[in-house]
Amino acid sequence: MTDAAMTDAAMTDAATTGAATTEAPLPDADARELYRTILREGGRLPIAEVSAQDARSVRQLTDVGLLTPRYADGVYSVVNPRAVGERIGAGLREEGARLLARAALVPELIDDLTKAYDAAPGREDRTGGARRITGMGQIRHLISQLADEHHREAWAAQPGGARPAAHMRDALEHTRRYLARGGTMRTIYEASARLDAPTVEYAAASARLGSPIRTLAAPFRRVLIFDRRVALIPAAPDNTSAALVEDSATVAFLVDVFEQQWRQAEGVNWSALAAGATEPAVHDQIGRLLSQGLTQRTIAGRLGLSERTVAGHISRLRELYDAETLFQLGWQMRGARPGESDG
């Protein structure tokens, strides 16, 4: 075997057996090529002739021990890679032995902490039932724990209006970490989410990470589901308390409801919305729902608006269509939208 081949073999073997455990990074391809060049030129490299381009490679070779500086002679001298390989191998074996010794301690240490975690208030086993969590801070803390413990699938149905920007930033960071661990996420928002700029920005960023968000026009309830095994649902109208559901039959029911809602929900090009693409204005959305025969109250509920706001839009639409009654307005608008169904 040639010196060049032995050098490549030594570096490849060291890299594949645990380069991260060495104190100095192993030479890369450029450094190994420089080593071969120095061999061809007699095994010595004048220090004064090291170019800026080769400085990094020389440092790598020196750090790992393949080059030794001889300051009295003003040169770097090559070192037999066999000796370097033996030293690296011995170091890795020693490091491996230390890691194995540490690994042997893990079960005992983790078991002790696991018992303390399970014995903490609120961590008792409630399999087959539900337990209540009160306070937004405690709820957010529990969600973080569930995301860590159940990291394959996370589904969320999130009705309601705009959320604080700080919460959006936290949610995006949680999404990034969850997906980085190999999990998948799906979320459903109300249709009115398209009209809130911070929510659109968050949804666009989430979609770019690989977490799709759809919107659903029909009313729905809040729920979080992890790995189809555990769910979190509101336990108070203002969402200040929640119930953690672990009963398998109940969770299966919630999974089925979410899947049906997901199929009914509409996909959204959030990136286009965030970039300022045209989206039907509230005025047009109200008109479209009126043409479908929906009442003022139902429209307000679907769009997340107050009835007074919807009434103002309807008043302007009646003037535009010269309609005396709401029924007449809906009928005239239905005729003006021939592409829409009668349902």
Side-chain angles (χ1 to χ4, degrees), residues 175-204:
T175 298
R176 183 179 290 106
R177 290 201 300 267
Y178 195 86
L179 297 178
R181 293 197 300 267
T184 61
M185 302 181 73
R186 289 187 287 166
T187 305
I188 299 174
Y189 279 166
E190 288 183 354
S192 59
R194 302 184 187 201
L195 308 176
D196 179 66
T199 301
V200 169
E201 290 288 346
Y202 164 76

Side-chain angles (χ1 to χ4, degrees), residues 102-316:
R102 292 180 61 189
L105 297 175
V106 169
E108 181 180 351
L109 294 175
I110 295 301
D111 183 62
D112 180 56
L113 296 178
T114 300
K115 289 179 179 177
Y117 180 83
D118 290 339
R123 293 303 307 177
E124 63 272 15
D125 184 11
R126 293 294 183 87
T127 302
R131 62 183 174 92
R132 182 179 291 241
I133 303 90
T134 303
M136 295 304 300
Q138 289 296 324
I139 293 173
R140 286 193 290 269
H141 176 64
L142 176 61
I143 292 172
S144 296
Q145 289 182 316
L146 292 174
D148 288 336
E149 296 172 7
H150 306 277
H151 47 77
R152 291 189 298 274
E153 289 180 311
W155 301 344
Q158 299 277 25
R163 294 159 184 81
H167 292 179
M168 290 295 194
R169 289 192 295 270
D170 287 345
L172 189 61
E173 183 57 30
H174 288 312
T175 298
R176 183 179 290 106
R177 290 201 300 267
Y178 195 86
L179 297 178
R181 293 197 300 267
T184 61
M185 302 181 73
R186 289 187 287 166
T187 305
I188 299 174
Y189 279 166
E190 288 183 354
S192 59
R194 302 184 187 201
L195 308 176
D196 179 66
T199 301
V200 169
E201 290 288 346
Y202 164 76
S206 181
R208 286 192 293 269
L209 291 174
S211 174
I213 298 177
R214 294 182 179 181
T215 61
L216 183 61
F220 61 94
R221 301 294 298 276
R222 185 182 305 274
V223 65
L224 295 174
I225 303 172
F226 292 92
D227 286 357
R228 311 189 188 207
R229 295 177 56 191
V230 61
L232 197 66
I233 60 176
D238 59 359
N239 298 313
T240 56
S241 67
L244 178 64
V245 181
E246 297 172 294
D247 176 69
S248 59
T250 306
V251 174
F253 171 79
L254 295 172
V255 165
D256 184 60
V257 171
F258 181 90
E259 288 284 23
Q260 292 183 41
Q261 292 173 337
W262 181 259
R263 289 191 293 268
Q264 297 168 5
E266 180 182 358
V268 180
N269 188 339
W270 296 104
S271 294
L273 281 182
T278 302
E279 173 75 0
V282 177
H283 197 66
D284 291 339
Q285 290 188 24
I286 291 174
R288 176 173 56 82
L289 295 174
L290 270 176
S291 69
Q292 296 174 6
L294 273 66
T295 66
Q296 175 177 304
R297 175 171 296 182
T298 302
I299 293 171
R302 286 203 177 186
L303 297 182
L305 303 173
S306 69
E307 286 195 55
R308 178 176 296 180
T309 298
V310 173
H313 284 283
I314 290 176
S315 177
R316 290 190 291 275

Side-chain angles (χ1 to χ4, degrees), residues 332-342:
Q332 291 181 211
M333 293 189 68
R334 182 175 299 185
R337 299 170 185 267
E340 295 189 358
S341 66
D342 293 336

